[in-house]
Amino acid sequence: MRYVVCVKQVPETSDVRINPETHTLIREGAAAILNPFDNYAIEEALRMREKLGGKVTVLTMGPPQAEAVLREAIAMGADEGILVSDRAFAGSDTWATSYTLAMAIRKIGDASVILCGKQASDGDTAQVGPGIAAHLELPQVTYVRKIEAMDEHRLVAERLLENGYEAIETPLPCVLTVVKELNEPRLPSLKGKLAAKKAVLTHWKAEDLACDPRLIGLDGSPTKVVKIFTPPPRAGGQVLTGEPDAVVTQLVEKLKDAVLAAGR
Amino acid sequence: MTDPIRIINEKCVRCGACVRACPFDAITQADRKSFPVIDLQKCTLCGACVQACKFDAIEMRESCAPLTDLSAFRDVWVFAEQHEGRLHSVTFELLGEGRKLAQSIQMKVCAVLLGHQVEPLSKELFARGADRVYLVDRPDLAHYQDEAYAAVLVELIRRHKPNVFLSGATTVGRSLVSRVAVPTRAGLTADCTGLAIDPATGNLLQTRPAFGGNIMATIIAPNARPQMATVRPKVMKEQAPDPTRTGELVVEAMADEIVRARARRVRFVPEVESTVSIADANIIVAGGRGLQKPENFALLRQLAETLGAGVGASRAAVDANWIAYSHQVGQTGKTVCPKIYFAIGISGQIQHLAGMSSSDIIVAINKDPDAPIFKVATYGIVGDLFAIIPKLTAAFQKMLAK
């Protein structure tokens, strides 16, 4: 059994601020972290390995410094890390990214389960996980909140929906994207940290993956960002003051129309 | 392969304007004597530097040539999301928005309806603005299923070549179209909050929040069709239904092997606990650490029931096991944009704001006057929520009883 976890290094979003004068993002000292949802994917892969044996491979696409998130996963207990990095990948949108990761997973060859966080906290698209499944023509279960049952050939996963959840049975190999409810990720052990320090990571470039050059990077990306701007600031807020009875009366008056329009 | 973006040193005066303009810290300049350098690993090709450069010293390569004959792609399609024979309200919002887009480029609005015994829903789709409904009705499509639904949509797109394809940015929509975009080589943008057609090029201008809503990005797919987007629910305006409106119903046959799926639904368990799902709610009453203990969520539930609202929660409340994860609003929970969002005892960490700051009206009730939630609040009350909420519930009950 091999579990491939796709992870991403993202800026620690809480550090992103907007400079009110230049309207650019201020990221001074903004740390790069492992995408929060990926923690749950790594943890679940480790649990699968504990149950069924096998190997956990962590895969990321990004700049050389993205090695840090691979080492973080190894510190948690993953067996090996692969960094896919090449200038040719610059400008990749979710189509090209999922293609590139799918090509890397093909090269790995024997993946039984491919796990991703439900989305990355910087792009928030949630498109890469299903994109990988589509490129590899594998079944997928998104928004997984629990693995109910699993053996070498199949698994049953609970998928979180807006109005409840559904249990889905799928043969392996398959792609899962996971939500936070799934588990509580372990902290790295001392042994893990040492292993992470010493681990020799695999580096793959575009040519190692036999990528079609028309399908990677800018050329492979159907979408293109044409403008970046700050959202208009929220209209100035109003502070209501006074005794509870007085503020409640004021607030109800202000919200009356909106509450009625929202419909019961 | 040439780099997609480069600085032309012969034109560059080393003024540093591009360094300051880059939202992603991707351009560095060691000192005023050195030329700036673009870090391609960080660059998103947003073009901010190209616009900022007064000397035309930054050149961005156009992306790939058209993949196919774009003019063959016509009409605006809307995925009609239905569960158990009921259409999701986002479908109506998309039909409303789709009509506006279609009129601006003289195209038709078509709904794509998949399911079993769902033909009666086509009347509702016509009434809400569809000119045509493509219907695929089969027992094996009775429940939503990623593989089968995606395969059917891919086939329909190949048959009819839509120009624009919209779906709700719901759990189903986001899982589904991400899969459809791959084999159709479509441009896909997630979770849009603004759509328009550029009259000069016919490109769909897709605007969406990024970095938790701190910045907005407008995205196009100039050389790919269909132009696909998932659209955040509750943002677009639905059209009032016109029951006299009719349209063309096109029943599509589908070969068995297309619909075959390996994964299958074993069971569905509806959530019984919450009043209204926060994803669908027009009003959300959300609580955080300020509630002090789980029992106090009852106060919020009473207010929510009075208003027909959904109950939300901050990460702190969910991590303390006061309420289930499905209620969590914010970066590691759900992104919502109701008409009214009550943040009660929620301090407003940036991760929480990322999930709710696009709500129409935000009401913040918190005892700490310095809580960051007040910065985004439309109406802020500094005070004791335990004194205020019961009175607020009673006042709304009185108002709504009239």
Side-chain angles (χ1 to χ4, degrees), chain A residues 11 13-18 22 24-28 36-37 40 62-65 85-88 90-91 93-95 98 118-119 121-128 130-131 133-135 137-143 148 156 158-171 179-181 213-216 218-232 234-241 244-245 247-248 251-252 254-256 258-264, chain B residues 1 3-4 20-25 39-46 51 60-64 144 146-147 170-172 174-175 178-179 181-183 185-190 207-208 210-222 224 230 262-271 277 279 282-283 305-308 315 318-319 325-326 328 331-334 339-340 342 350-351 357-363 365 376-382 387-388 391-392 395-396 399-400:
Chain A
T13 332
S14 53
D15 284 353
V16 177
R17 295 280 188 282
I18 292 177
T22 60
T24 55
L25 291 187
I26 306 170
R27 290 236 213 113
E28 277 151 56
F37 288 106
Y40 308 100
Q65 56 267 34
S85 189
D86 198 311
R87 282 171 81 85
D93 73 354
T94 58
W95 200 104
S98 54
K118 78 154 173 156
Q119 64 195 48
S121 62
D122 53 352
D124 278 335
T125 70
Q127 287 171 184
V128 171
H135 280 292
E137 295 177 35
L138 291 179
Q140 71 189 39
V141 189
T142 52
Y143 302 88
E148 283 186 359
V156 180
E158 287 181 12
R159 168 203 224 196
L160 186 64
L161 297 170
E162 279 95 353
N163 55 350
Y165 71 88
E166 60 184 1
I168 294 176
E169 179 175 346
T170 172
V179 299
K180 174 182 150 183
E181 197 179 0
R214 291 165 306 174
L215 300 180
I216 58 170
L218 181 73
D219 287 335
S221 300
T223 65
K224 182 177 166 187
V225 177
V226 285
K227 196 169 114 189
I228 293 236
F229 58 102
T230 30
R234 292 189 68 86
Q238 201 180 345
V239 176
L240 311 178
T241 51
D245 284 309
V247 288
V248 162
L251 185 61
V252 170
K254 304 242 181 238
L255 295 179
K256 198 172 167 182
V259 165
L260 292 173
R264 291 225 38 207
Chain B
M1 200 184 303
D3 287 339
R20 290 188 296 277
C22 178
F24 301 99
D25 284 339
D39 181 348
L40 285 177
Q41 308 272 13
K42 286 184 176 175
C43 174
T44 67
L45 301 171
C46 72
Q51 283 170 31
M60 198 156 67
R61 193 160 56 87
E62 284 302 309
S63 53
C64 49
Y144 171 75
D146 291 309
E147 277 176 282
T170 56
T171 304
V172 162
R174 295 179 95 165
S175 306
S178 305
R179 230 185 137 96
V182 166
R185 198 81 178 89
L188 172 60
T189 306
T207 299
R208 69 180 301 261
F211 289 101
N214 277 329
I215 57 171
M216 305 292 288
T218 301
I219 293 167
I220 57 171
T230 60
R262 290 159 287 188
R264 65 182 186 92
R265 173 153 111 170
V266 189
R267 65 176 194 282
F268 169 68
V269 182
E271 181 168 11
S277 155
N282 280 324
I283 304 178
E305 273 163 28
T306 303
L307 296 170
R315 176 182 167 165
V318 172
D319 284 355
Y325 169 67
S326 56
Q328 186 182 323
Q331 197 187 76
T332 50
K334 285 180 179 145
K339 304 293 174 213
I340 311 177
F342 289 89
I350 189 142
Q351 291 87 345
S357 60
S358 57
S359 308
D360 286 1
I361 298 174
I362 296 170
V363 178
I365 302 174
V376 300
T378 322
Y379 304 114
I381 298 177
V382 180
I388 294 165
K391 288 181 194 294
L392 192 62
F396 276 124
M399 184 199 102
L400 290 163

Side-chain angles (χ1 to χ4, degrees), chain B residues 56 117 149 261 275 286 312 349:
Chain B
D56 294 330
Q117 295 174 336
Y149 269 54
T275 34
Q349 295 298 316

Side-chain angles (χ1 to χ4, degrees), chain B residues 44-58:
Chain B
T44 67
L45 301 171
C46 72
C49 55
V50 178
Q51 283 170 31
C53 179
K54 295 188 175 66
F55 305 92
D56 294 330
I58 305 179

